[in-house]
Amino acid sequence: MRRFAAILFFAIVARPVLALATGLRVLGREHLPTAGPAVIAANHNSHLDVIALLSLFPLRQLHRVRPVAAADHFQKPGFVGWMARTLLNIIPIDRSGQGAEAAIAPVCDALDRGEIVVIFPEGTRGAPEVMARFRRGSSVLAERYPDVPFVPVYLHGLGKSLPRGEWRFVPFASVAHIGKPLRVADGDARPMAERLQADVETMAAGTTLARWAED
């Protein structure tokens, strides 16, 4: 039932709304993983970020794509909690300060099952088009799974359509730029969080230049 509800939501609501209201443009779609285990790591400005990322995958694959979300917020009763659990199929994470290893345990379980995990390394939503420092959780996860691909994604515009603290949707052009997968096994000595942030910032700069050129 959950799987069927998610397919209906993305086919009838999410994809059409994103296409019509934000004109979501996708760059680098060829880098999107077709199977897990894999990790999608994106910047975070809006609740729309999760929906936009999930909308990039084939409907038949949605049940294998699991966004990480805060248990204290999305496990609550009510519509938001129901949507997070039923339509988005979140991996709830405890943010009570128990340590990185314990916090990522549910993520590890998902990767062990061969799922695709969506994470936001900043840890929370920021102001539109303002990127915070990526936290070390992605580095801890990558050290445990050196052969698993970490795919950086830069999201632009969604924070202006539905910014933090707002529930009124404003149409605004958006872009999802997908970068090349990164692995610890690649031999790059930098922590994964640093590598991901560097790639997302590079894509952000390139997206800005491309928009100026179009204007």
Side-chain angles (χ1 to χ4, degrees), residues 38-61:
V39 177
I40 304 292
N43 60 306
H44 197 21
N45 294 147
S46 170
H47 280 318
L48 291 175
D49 296 339
V50 172
I51 296 175
L53 288 171
L54 293 181
S55 74
L56 303 180
F57 289 88
L59 294 175
R60 66 180 182 279
Q61 196 178 5

Side-chain angles (χ1 to χ4, degrees), residues 126-212:
E129 316 315 323
V130 177
M131 198 181 309
R133 185 178 181 83
F134 283 15
R135 299 182 181 181
R136 65 181 296 267
S138 54
S139 298
V140 174
L141 192 62
E143 290 168 4
R144 181 171 293 187
Y145 295 92
D147 295 311
V148 166
F150 281 66
V151 182
V153 178
Y154 171 62
L155 298 172
H156 171 81
L158 297 170
K160 293 184 178 180
S161 289
L162 191 65
R164 181 176 182 173
E166 293 287 342
W167 290 102
R168 184 177 61 180
F169 181 83
V170 178
F172 195 88
S174 63
V175 176
H177 192 164
I178 306 163
K180 294 180 179 179
L182 307 175
R183 295 175 175 81
V184 169
D186 293 340
D188 191 319
R190 292 176 297 167
M192 183 56 73
E194 184 178 328
R195 295 175 64 190
L196 288 168
Q197 180 151 16
D199 279 18
V200 172
E201 288 176 344
T202 298
M203 288 186 284
T207 299
T208 301
L209 289 173
R211 289 184 63 81
W212 283 348

Side-chain angles (χ1 to χ4, degrees), residues 102-139:
I104 67 171
V107 181
C108 294
D109 291 341
L111 291 174
D112 289 340
R113 290 192 297 268
E115 296 174 341
I116 297 172
V117 174
V118 177
I119 65 172
F120 298 102
E122 292 165 282
T124 188
R125 287 169 295 151
E129 316 315 323
V130 177
M131 198 181 309
R133 185 178 181 83
F134 283 15
R135 299 182 181 181
R136 65 181 296 267
S138 54
S139 298

Side-chain angles (χ1 to χ4, degrees), residues 3-26:
R3 182 174 176 180
F4 181 65
I7 289 174
L8 281 180
F9 171 72
F10 278 92
I12 297 174
V13 180
R15 287 182 173 180
V17 168
L18 286 170
L20 293 174
T22 76
L24 182 63
R25 179 183 175 197
V26 184

